[in-house]
Amino acid sequence: MITLNKKILPILLPLIIIIFWYIFTVPIVLVPNYVMPSPIMVVASAYQLIISGKLFTHIISTLIKVLSGLLLASVIAIPLGVLLGWSQNLEDMSKFIVGILRPIPPVAWIPFSILWFGIGLIPGIFIIFMGCFFPILIYTIDGAKRTDKVLIESGKTLGTSNFQTITKIIFPSSIPTIISGLKVGVGIALMCTVTAEMVASNSGLGYLIMNSSQLFDTGAVVVGMLSIGIIGLIFDLIFKKIQNKIFW
Amino acid sequence: MTIEIKSLSKTFKTHGKEVFALKDINLKIENKDFVCLLGPSGCGKTTLLRLIGGLEKGDNGKILEDEKLITKPSKERGFVFQQYSLFPWLTVLDNVTFGLDLGNDSKEENIRRARTYLKSVGLESSENLYPHELSGGMKQRVAIIRSLVNKPKTLLMDEPFSALDIQNRHKLQEEIVRIWKKTEKTIIFVTHDVDEAVFLADHIVLMGRNPGHIKEVYDSKLSRPRSRNSEEFLAIQSHILEGLES
């Protein structure tokens, strides 16, 4: 009986996939290589992209857009969400407009983003902003609303003003839910970035994928896809670390 | 601080019907009194305390604090809740300085003051712990201290010890009497436990339900420290019990 090391377990399945992938693309060629690149082609493309510094530039371009879009959305959505979660009147007032804007897929903003901001960093950031604004807002409202009433009342009997109730009680109490909202936001931001880069950009991983596919460089397409996956995985790990630190 | 309640009523809506939680309450609480509001569940004792705290608004009548109408919560009236109410993201020390930090005094001064109070209840070594690391008794001690450090004139307590085991409850009852004597606060304490009311209070307000009303205000002349086994204690206890059941 072979005992499997726990650390090997997560690597096992990818390894098997790569072996089969290799078998059916190198010794036994099922489909032409421009339809399905072999692992060796992917490694070669990755090597080329790394050596030339192109991969790094594209990753940075995508990350800058994701992070600035996310930051911009957070700066507006978190305070707004705390406020709407605190006041039922404000929430009722905004219910209709949020309800209508929220279901619009972020990519539907692409035409206006190009009209307003042209091609480059800004339209990407705008689309990411539109994409993660609502999840962060909705999560924050939810967290603020679930603030334990006894904490708010405790604050009042200790002398908090309305403003202090919001900043010193409702906001910290919502932090765990806000973090969950940010986690969802990052996922959407990555999706939006790549989509936006495919149409309205000249840099970034989405652009790399689109451009390489037009050149039939399918190895580079896979490199672009895997890079996005790895970035998402790293963000997820970071958020898990943060969530483990929060105990309320 | 004298608290005067004049023909106070409060209704709640349940299933579209108006139900009296409290009807025509008149009560005067003198400065430095230790008063217990005692009664079965549904008699409106907690509602009455919340009204005094300014956490609820009455429908009729008024509550005066030194001739001034009570309309909203104030740090002049500290409130200790039945549920655990410490801010879970703050340490014990930060919880205690919370009210002080809202003012203009320096952080160092606030910490110094908080530590004096923490020491008075034997929690000086726990100042860096978070609420989830404390026992129920410790949590309520911190909650009491968090109110007291603001120097309120009145301390309102809503069954603060009901979740504790009997040993802890007795210990905290003794502590609150000690604090009351030392700080000369007016304390209004809600309980459904006759033993607790007789042990703590000089004035026991007996309340009944449907609608919530005051049956009797019993002035206890029991000397302190009080012993639960003394004849007088037991006599008062049975008198109060009779009053509640009548």
Side-chain angles (χ1 to χ4, degrees), chain A residues 134-154:
Chain A
F134 289 104
I136 297 173
L137 181 75
I138 305 280
Y139 271 81
T140 309
I141 292 175
D142 187 47
K145 279 183 129 171
R146 279 193 289 161
T147 304
D148 196 345
K149 207 177 134 213
V150 81
L151 297 183
I152 296 174
E153 289 187 338
S154 292

mmCIF file with all atom_site columns, all heavy atoms in Angstrom, chain A residues 134-154:
data_model
loop_
_atom_site.group_PDB
_atom_site.id
_atom_site.type_symbol
_atom_site.label_atom_id
_atom_site.label_alt_id
_atom_site.label_comp_id
_atom_site.label_asym_id
_atom_site.label_entity_id
_atom_site.label_seq_id
_atom_site.pdbx_PDB_ins_code
_atom_site.Cartn_x
_atom_site.Cartn_y
_atom_site.Cartn_z
_atom_site.occupancy
_atom_site.B_iso_or_equiv
_atom_site.pdbx_formal_charge
_atom_site.auth_seq_id
_atom_site.auth_comp_id
_atom_site.auth_asym_id
_atom_site.auth_atom_id
_atom_site.pdbx_PDB_model_num
ATOM 1   N N   . PHE A 1 134 ? -20.478 46.895 -7.807  1.00 0.00 ? 134 PHE A N   1
ATOM 2   C CA  . PHE A 1 134 ? -21.731 46.403 -7.227  1.00 0.00 ? 134 PHE A CA  1
ATOM 3   C C   . PHE A 1 134 ? -21.558 45.229 -6.256  1.00 0.00 ? 134 PHE A C   1
ATOM 4   O O   . PHE A 1 134 ? -22.162 45.238 -5.184  1.00 0.00 ? 134 PHE A O   1
ATOM 5   C CB  . PHE A 1 134 ? -22.755 46.113 -8.323  1.00 0.00 ? 134 PHE A CB  1
ATOM 6   C CG  . PHE A 1 134 ? -23.262 47.375 -8.944  1.00 0.00 ? 134 PHE A CG  1
ATOM 7   C CD1 . PHE A 1 134 ? -22.827 47.792 -10.185 1.00 0.00 ? 134 PHE A CD1 1
ATOM 8   C CD2 . PHE A 1 134 ? -24.137 48.197 -8.240  1.00 0.00 ? 134 PHE A CD2 1
ATOM 9   C CE1 . PHE A 1 134 ? -23.271 48.985 -10.735 1.00 0.00 ? 134 PHE A CE1 1
ATOM 10  C CE2 . PHE A 1 134 ? -24.590 49.395 -8.776  1.00 0.00 ? 134 PHE A CE2 1
ATOM 11  C CZ  . PHE A 1 134 ? -24.155 49.790 -10.023 1.00 0.00 ? 134 PHE A CZ  1
ATOM 12  N N   . PRO A 1 135 ? -20.723 44.223 -6.592  1.00 0.00 ? 135 PRO A N   1
ATOM 13  C CA  . PRO A 1 135 ? -20.519 43.192 -5.575  1.00 0.00 ? 135 PRO A CA  1
ATOM 14  C C   . PRO A 1 135 ? -19.980 43.762 -4.255  1.00 0.00 ? 135 PRO A C   1
ATOM 15  O O   . PRO A 1 135 ? -20.470 43.416 -3.184  1.00 0.00 ? 135 PRO A O   1
ATOM 16  C CB  . PRO A 1 135 ? -19.511 42.225 -6.197  1.00 0.00 ? 135 PRO A CB  1
ATOM 17  C CG  . PRO A 1 135 ? -19.336 42.627 -7.597  1.00 0.00 ? 135 PRO A CG  1
ATOM 18  C CD  . PRO A 1 135 ? -20.093 43.881 -7.867  1.00 0.00 ? 135 PRO A CD  1
ATOM 19  N N   . ILE A 1 136 ? -19.002 44.677 -4.354  1.00 0.00 ? 136 ILE A N   1
ATOM 20  C CA  . ILE A 1 136 ? -18.444 45.245 -3.119  1.00 0.00 ? 136 ILE A CA  1
ATOM 21  C C   . ILE A 1 136 ? -19.528 46.040 -2.378  1.00 0.00 ? 136 ILE A C   1
ATOM 22  O O   . ILE A 1 136 ? -19.685 45.924 -1.169  1.00 0.00 ? 136 ILE A O   1
ATOM 23  C CB  . ILE A 1 136 ? -17.219 46.133 -3.435  1.00 0.00 ? 136 ILE A CB  1
ATOM 24  C CG1 . ILE A 1 136 ? -16.095 45.296 -4.056  1.00 0.00 ? 136 ILE A CG1 1
ATOM 25  C CG2 . ILE A 1 136 ? -16.694 46.811 -2.160  1.00 0.00 ? 136 ILE A CG2 1
ATOM 26  C CD1 . ILE A 1 136 ? -14.905 46.106 -4.545  1.00 0.00 ? 136 ILE A CD1 1
ATOM 27  N N   . LEU A 1 137 ? -20.314 46.801 -3.140  1.00 0.00 ? 137 LEU A N   1
ATOM 28  C CA  . LEU A 1 137 ? -21.387 47.590 -2.523  1.00 0.00 ? 137 LEU A CA  1
ATOM 29  C C   . LEU A 1 137 ? -22.402 46.695 -1.819  1.00 0.00 ? 137 LEU A C   1
ATOM 30  O O   . LEU A 1 137 ? -22.749 46.906 -0.653  1.00 0.00 ? 137 LEU A O   1
ATOM 31  C CB  . LEU A 1 137 ? -22.085 48.431 -3.596  1.00 0.00 ? 137 LEU A CB  1
ATOM 32  C CG  . LEU A 1 137 ? -23.217 49.333 -3.084  1.00 0.00 ? 137 LEU A CG  1
ATOM 33  C CD1 . LEU A 1 137 ? -22.641 50.539 -2.355  1.00 0.00 ? 137 LEU A CD1 1
ATOM 34  C CD2 . LEU A 1 137 ? -24.119 49.795 -4.213  1.00 0.00 ? 137 LEU A CD2 1
ATOM 35  N N   . ILE A 1 138 ? -22.855 45.653 -2.523  1.00 0.00 ? 138 ILE A N   1
ATOM 36  C CA  . ILE A 1 138 ? -23.899 44.786 -1.975  1.00 0.00 ? 138 ILE A CA  1
ATOM 37  C C   . ILE A 1 138 ? -23.390 44.053 -0.733  1.00 0.00 ? 138 ILE A C   1
ATOM 38  O O   . ILE A 1 138 ? -24.083 43.979 0.290   1.00 0.00 ? 138 ILE A O   1
ATOM 39  C CB  . ILE A 1 138 ? -24.352 43.746 -3.038  1.00 0.00 ? 138 ILE A CB  1
ATOM 40  C CG1 . ILE A 1 138 ? -24.794 44.449 -4.318  1.00 0.00 ? 138 ILE A CG1 1
ATOM 41  C CG2 . ILE A 1 138 ? -25.412 42.812 -2.481  1.00 0.00 ? 138 ILE A CG2 1
ATOM 42  C CD1 . ILE A 1 138 ? -26.150 45.035 -4.333  1.00 0.00 ? 138 ILE A CD1 1
ATOM 43  N N   . TYR A 1 139 ? -22.168 43.544 -0.805  1.00 0.00 ? 139 TYR A N   1
ATOM 44  C CA  . TYR A 1 139 ? -21.605 42.866 0.368   1.00 0.00 ? 139 TYR A CA  1
ATOM 45  C C   . TYR A 1 139 ? -21.479 43.831 1.546   1.00 0.00 ? 139 TYR A C   1
ATOM 46  O O   . TYR A 1 139 ? -21.767 43.475 2.687   1.00 0.00 ? 139 TYR A O   1
ATOM 47  C CB  . TYR A 1 139 ? -20.233 42.259 0.034   1.00 0.00 ? 139 TYR A CB  1
ATOM 48  C CG  . TYR A 1 139 ? -20.299 40.849 -0.509  1.00 0.00 ? 139 TYR A CG  1
ATOM 49  C CD1 . TYR A 1 139 ? -20.586 40.614 -1.848  1.00 0.00 ? 139 TYR A CD1 1
ATOM 50  C CD2 . TYR A 1 139 ? -20.081 39.752 0.316   1.00 0.00 ? 139 TYR A CD2 1
ATOM 51  C CE1 . TYR A 1 139 ? -20.651 39.332 -2.360  1.00 0.00 ? 139 TYR A CE1 1
ATOM 52  C CE2 . TYR A 1 139 ? -20.143 38.461 -0.186  1.00 0.00 ? 139 TYR A CE2 1
ATOM 53  C CZ  . TYR A 1 139 ? -20.425 38.249 -1.526  1.00 0.00 ? 139 TYR A CZ  1
ATOM 54  O OH  . TYR A 1 139 ? -20.494 36.973 -2.017  1.00 0.00 ? 139 TYR A OH  1
ATOM 55  N N   . THR A 1 140 ? -21.008 45.057 1.271   1.00 0.00 ? 140 THR A N   1
ATOM 56  C CA  . THR A 1 140 ? -20.829 46.019 2.351   1.00 0.00 ? 140 THR A CA  1
ATOM 57  C C   . THR A 1 140 ? -22.176 46.383 2.996   1.00 0.00 ? 140 THR A C   1
ATOM 58  O O   . THR A 1 140 ? -22.290 46.432 4.221   1.00 0.00 ? 140 THR A O   1
ATOM 59  C CB  . THR A 1 140 ? -20.130 47.297 1.842   1.00 0.00 ? 140 THR A CB  1
ATOM 60  O OG1 . THR A 1 140 ? -18.953 46.925 1.143   1.00 0.00 ? 140 THR A OG1 1
ATOM 61  C CG2 . THR A 1 140 ? -19.757 48.203 2.992   1.00 0.00 ? 140 THR A CG2 1
ATOM 62  N N   . ILE A 1 141 ? -23.189 46.615 2.164   1.00 0.00 ? 141 ILE A N   1
ATOM 63  C CA  . ILE A 1 141 ? -24.526 46.923 2.700   1.00 0.00 ? 141 ILE A CA  1
ATOM 64  C C   . ILE A 1 141 ? -24.972 45.784 3.609   1.00 0.00 ? 141 ILE A C   1
ATOM 65  O O   . ILE A 1 141 ? -25.443 46.003 4.725   1.00 0.00 ? 141 ILE A O   1
ATOM 66  C CB  . ILE A 1 141 ? -25.562 47.118 1.563   1.00 0.00 ? 141 ILE A CB  1
ATOM 67  C CG1 . ILE A 1 141 ? -25.250 48.386 0.757   1.00 0.00 ? 141 ILE A CG1 1
ATOM 68  C CG2 . ILE A 1 141 ? -26.979 47.186 2.123   1.00 0.00 ? 141 ILE A CG2 1
ATOM 69  C CD1 . ILE A 1 141 ? -26.152 48.592 -0.450  1.00 0.00 ? 141 ILE A CD1 1
ATOM 70  N N   . ASP A 1 142 ? -24.783 44.564 3.114   1.00 0.00 ? 142 ASP A N   1
ATOM 71  C CA  . ASP A 1 142 ? -25.205 43.392 3.876   1.00 0.00 ? 142 ASP A CA  1
ATOM 72  C C   . ASP A 1 142 ? -24.473 43.321 5.220   1.00 0.00 ? 142 ASP A C   1
ATOM 73  O O   . ASP A 1 142 ? -25.090 43.113 6.271   1.00 0.00 ? 142 ASP A O   1
ATOM 74  C CB  . ASP A 1 142 ? -24.922 42.144 3.036   1.00 0.00 ? 142 ASP A CB  1
ATOM 75  C CG  . ASP A 1 142 ? -25.474 40.894 3.679   1.00 0.00 ? 142 ASP A CG  1
ATOM 76  O OD1 . ASP A 1 142 ? -26.648 40.957 4.094   1.00 0.00 ? 142 ASP A OD1 1
ATOM 77  O OD2 . ASP A 1 142 ? -24.746 39.894 3.780   1.00 0.00 ? 142 ASP A OD2 1
ATOM 78  N N   . GLY A 1 143 ? -23.152 43.528 5.184   1.00 0.00 ? 143 GLY A N   1
ATOM 79  C CA  . GLY A 1 143 ? -22.369 43.487 6.419   1.00 0.00 ? 143 GLY A CA  1
ATOM 80  C C   . GLY A 1 143 ? -22.824 44.571 7.388   1.00 0.00 ? 143 GLY A C   1
ATOM 81  O O   . GLY A 1 143 ? -22.991 44.325 8.578   1.00 0.00 ? 143 GLY A O   1
ATOM 82  N N   . ALA A 1 144 ? -23.038 45.768 6.865   1.00 0.00 ? 144 ALA A N   1
ATOM 83  C CA  . ALA A 1 144 ? -23.441 46.885 7.723   1.00 0.00 ? 144 ALA A CA  1
ATOM 84  C C   . ALA A 1 144 ? -24.800 46.615 8.357   1.00 0.00 ? 144 ALA A C   1
ATOM 85  O O   . ALA A 1 144 ? -25.024 46.889 9.534   1.00 0.00 ? 144 ALA A O   1
ATOM 86  C CB  . ALA A 1 144 ? -23.491 48.169 6.903   1.00 0.00 ? 144 ALA A CB  1
ATOM 87  N N   . LYS A 1 145 ? -25.707 46.031 7.565   1.00 0.00 ? 145 LYS A N   1
ATOM 88  C CA  . LYS A 1 145 ? -27.047 45.759 8.091   1.00 0.00 ? 145 LYS A CA  1
ATOM 89  C C   . LYS A 1 145 ? -27.024 44.690 9.183   1.00 0.00 ? 145 LYS A C   1
ATOM 90  O O   . LYS A 1 145 ? -27.882 44.665 10.053  1.00 0.00 ? 145 LYS A O   1
ATOM 91  C CB  . LYS A 1 145 ? -27.944 45.258 6.961   1.00 0.00 ? 145 LYS A CB  1
ATOM 92  C CG  . LYS A 1 145 ? -28.490 46.364 6.118   1.00 0.00 ? 145 LYS A CG  1
ATOM 93  C CD  . LYS A 1 145 ? -29.414 45.778 5.097   1.00 0.00 ? 145 LYS A CD  1
ATOM 94  C CE  . LYS A 1 145 ? -30.730 46.501 5.098   1.00 0.00 ? 145 LYS A CE  1
ATOM 95  N NZ  . LYS A 1 145 ? -31.561 46.083 3.976   1.00 0.00 ? 145 LYS A NZ  1
ATOM 96  N N   . ARG A 1 146 ? -26.053 43.798 9.073   1.00 0.00 ? 146 ARG A N   1
ATOM 97  C CA  . ARG A 1 146 ? -26.009 42.708 10.052  1.00 0.00 ? 146 ARG A CA  1
ATOM 98  C C   . ARG A 1 146 ? -25.251 43.077 11.318  1.00 0.00 ? 146 ARG A C   1
ATOM 99  O O   . ARG A 1 146 ? -25.025 42.227 12.175  1.00 0.00 ? 146 ARG A O   1
ATOM 100 C CB  . ARG A 1 146 ? -25.415 41.454 9.399   1.00 0.00 ? 146 ARG A CB  1
ATOM 101 C CG  . ARG A 1 146 ? -26.461 40.716 8.575   1.00 0.00 ? 146 ARG A CG  1
ATOM 102 C CD  . ARG A 1 146 ? -25.997 39.357 8.201   1.00 0.00 ? 146 ARG A CD  1
ATOM 103 N NE  . ARG A 1 146 ? -24.940 39.444 7.207   1.00 0.00 ? 146 ARG A NE  1
ATOM 104 C CZ  . ARG A 1 146 ? -24.101 38.445 6.950   1.00 0.00 ? 146 ARG A CZ  1
ATOM 105 N NH1 . ARG A 1 146 ? -24.180 37.340 7.641   1.00 0.00 ? 146 ARG A NH1 1
ATOM 106 N NH2 . ARG A 1 146 ? -23.183 38.579 6.028   1.00 0.00 ? 146 ARG A NH2 1
ATOM 107 N N   . THR A 1 147 ? -24.843 44.338 11.438  1.00 0.00 ? 147 THR A N   1
ATOM 108 C CA  . THR A 1 147 ? -24.180 44.774 12.665  1.00 0.00 ? 147 THR A CA  1
ATOM 109 C C   . THR A 1 147 ? -25.113 44.518 13.860  1.00 0.00 ? 147 THR A C   1
ATOM 110 O O   . THR A 1 147 ? -26.283 44.894 13.818  1.00 0.00 ? 147 THR A O   1
ATOM 111 C CB  . THR A 1 147 ? -23.865 46.282 12.593  1.00 0.00 ? 147 THR A CB  1
ATOM 112 O OG1 . THR A 1 147 ? -23.094 46.522 11.434  1.00 0.00 ? 147 THR A OG1 1
ATOM 113 C CG2 . THR A 1 147 ? -23.087 46.732 13.820  1.00 0.00 ? 147 THR A CG2 1
ATOM 114 N N   . ASP A 1 148 ? -24.587 43.857 14.859  1.00 0.00 ? 148 ASP A N   1
ATOM 115 C CA  . ASP A 1 148 ? -25.366 43.535 16.053  1.00 0.00 ? 148 ASP A CA  1
ATOM 116 C C   . ASP A 1 148 ? -25.937 44.824 16.653  1.00 0.00 ? 148 ASP A C   1
ATOM 117 O O   . ASP A 1 148 ? -25.209 45.769 16.935  1.00 0.00 ? 148 ASP A O   1
ATOM 118 C CB  . ASP A 1 148 ? -24.434 42.847 17.065  1.00 0.00 ? 148 ASP A CB  1
ATOM 119 C CG  . ASP A 1 148 ? -25.223 42.147 18.157  1.00 0.00 ? 148 ASP A CG  1
ATOM 120 O OD1 . ASP A 1 148 ? -26.422 42.427 18.293  1.00 0.00 ? 148 ASP A OD1 1
ATOM 121 O OD2 . ASP A 1 148 ? -24.615 41.320 18.852  1.00 0.00 ? 148 ASP A OD2 1
ATOM 122 N N   . LYS A 1 149 ? -27.265 44.846 16.840  1.00 0.00 ? 149 LYS A N   1
ATOM 123 C CA  . LYS A 1 149 ? -27.942 46.053 17.342  1.00 0.00 ? 149 LYS A CA  1
ATOM 124 C C   . LYS A 1 149 ? -27.401 46.453 18.715  1.00 0.00 ? 149 LYS A C   1
ATOM 125 O O   . LYS A 1 149 ? -27.302 47.640 19.035  1.00 0.00 ? 149 LYS A O   1
ATOM 126 C CB  . LYS A 1 149 ? -29.444 45.750 17.429  1.00 0.00 ? 149 LYS A CB  1
ATOM 127 C CG  . LYS A 1 149 ? -30.306 46.991 17.290  1.00 0.00 ? 149 LYS A CG  1
ATOM 128 C CD  . LYS A 1 149 ? -31.785 46.611 17.322  1.00 0.00 ? 149 LYS A CD  1
ATOM 129 C CE  . LYS A 1 149 ? -32.521 47.549 18.257  1.00 0.00 ? 149 LYS A CE  1
ATOM 130 N NZ  . LYS A 1 149 ? -33.640 46.928 18.965  1.00 0.00 ? 149 LYS A NZ  1
ATOM 131 N N   . VAL A 1 150 ? -27.037 45.448 19.502  1.00 0.00 ? 150 VAL A N   1
ATOM 132 C CA  . VAL A 1 150 ? -26.580 45.747 20.861  1.00 0.00 ? 150 VAL A CA  1
ATOM 133 C C   . VAL A 1 150 ? -25.250 46.509 20.819  1.00 0.00 ? 150 VAL A C   1
ATOM 134 O O   . VAL A 1 150 ? -24.971 47.325 21.696  1.00 0.00 ? 150 VAL A O   1
ATOM 135 C CB  . VAL A 1 150 ? -26.511 44.456 21.713  1.00 0.00 ? 150 VAL A CB  1
ATOM 136 C CG1 . VAL A 1 150 ? -25.264 43.662 21.461  1.00 0.00 ? 150 VAL A CG1 1
ATOM 137 C CG2 . VAL A 1 150 ? -26.618 44.793 23.195  1.00 0.00 ? 150 VAL A CG2 1
ATOM 138 N N   . LEU A 1 151 ? -24.445 46.285 19.780  1.00 0.00 ? 151 LEU A N   1
ATOM 139 C CA  . LEU A 1 151 ? -23.178 47.028 19.657  1.00 0.00 ? 151 LEU A CA  1
ATOM 140 C C   . LEU A 1 151 ? -23.456 48.492 19.339  1.00 0.00 ? 151 LEU A C   1
ATOM 141 O O   . LEU A 1 151 ? -22.818 49.402 19.875  1.00 0.00 ? 151 LEU A O   1
ATOM 142 C CB  . LEU A 1 151 ? -22.288 46.415 18.580  1.00 0.00 ? 151 LEU A CB  1
ATOM 143 C CG  . LEU A 1 151 ? -21.813 44.983 18.809  1.00 0.00 ? 151 LEU A CG  1
ATOM 144 C CD1 . LEU A 1 151 ? -20.889 44.546 17.681  1.00 0.00 ? 151 LEU A CD1 1
ATOM 145 C CD2 . LEU A 1 151 ? -21.102 44.844 20.145  1.00 0.00 ? 151 LEU A CD2 1
ATOM 146 N N   . ILE A 1 152 ? -24.430 48.731 18.460  1.00 0.00 ? 152 ILE A N   1
ATOM 147 C CA  . ILE A 1 152 ? -24.785 50.107 18.105  1.00 0.00 ? 152 ILE A CA  1
ATOM 148 C C   . ILE A 1 152 ? -25.350 50.828 19.323  1.00 0.00 ? 152 ILE A C   1
ATOM 149 O O   . ILE A 1 152 ? -24.982 51.966 19.621  1.00 0.00 ? 152 ILE A O   1
ATOM 150 C CB  . ILE A 1 152 ? -25.803 50.105 16.943  1.00 0.00 ? 152 ILE A CB  1
ATOM 151 C CG1 . ILE A 1 152 ? -25.156 49.501 15.694  1.00 0.00 ? 152 ILE A CG1 1
ATOM 152 C CG2 . ILE A 1 152 ? -26.316 51.516 16.664  1.00 0.00 ? 152 ILE A CG2 1
ATOM 153 C CD1 . ILE A 1 152 ? -26.101 49.307 14.527  1.00 0.00 ? 152 ILE A CD1 1
ATOM 154 N N   . GLU A 1 153 ? -26.220 50.122 20.061  1.00 0.00 ? 153 GLU A N   1
ATOM 155 C CA  . GLU A 1 153 ? -26.815 50.748 21.255  1.00 0.00 ? 153 GLU A CA  1
ATOM 156 C C   . GLU A 1 153 ? -25.765 50.971 22.335  1.00 0.00 ? 153 GLU A C   1
ATOM 157 O O   . GLU A 1 153 ? -25.779 51.997 23.025  1.00 0.00 ? 153 GLU A O   1
ATOM 158 C CB  . GLU A 1 153 ? -27.968 49.880 21.777  1.00 0.00 ? 153 GLU A CB  1
ATOM 159 C CG  . GLU A 1 153 ? -29.173 49.922 20.854  1.00 0.00 ? 153 GLU A CG  1
ATOM 160 C CD  . GLU A 1 153 ? -30.389 49.221 21.418  1.00 0.00 ? 153 GLU A CD  1
ATOM 161 O OE1 . GLU A 1 153 ? -30.221 48.355 22.311  1.00 0.00 ? 153 GLU A OE1 1
ATOM 162 O OE2 . GLU A 1 153 ? -31.507 49.530 20.971  1.00 0.00 ? 153 GLU A OE2 1
ATOM 163 N N   . SER A 1 154 ? -24.838 50.011 22.478  1.00 0.00 ? 154 SER A N   1
ATOM 164 C CA  . SER A 1 154 ? -23.745 50.198 23.441  1.00 0.00 ? 154 SER A CA  1
ATOM 165 C C   . SER A 1 154 ? -22.995 51.476 23.121  1.00 0.00 ? 154 SER A C   1
ATOM 166 O O   . SER A 1 154 ? -22.706 52.285 23.999  1.00 0.00 ? 154 SER A O   1
ATOM 167 C CB  . SER A 1 154 ? -22.753 49.043 23.387  1.00 0.00 ? 154 SER A CB  1
ATOM 168 O OG  . SER A 1 154 ? -23.337 47.878 23.868  1.00 0.00 ? 154 SER A OG  1
#
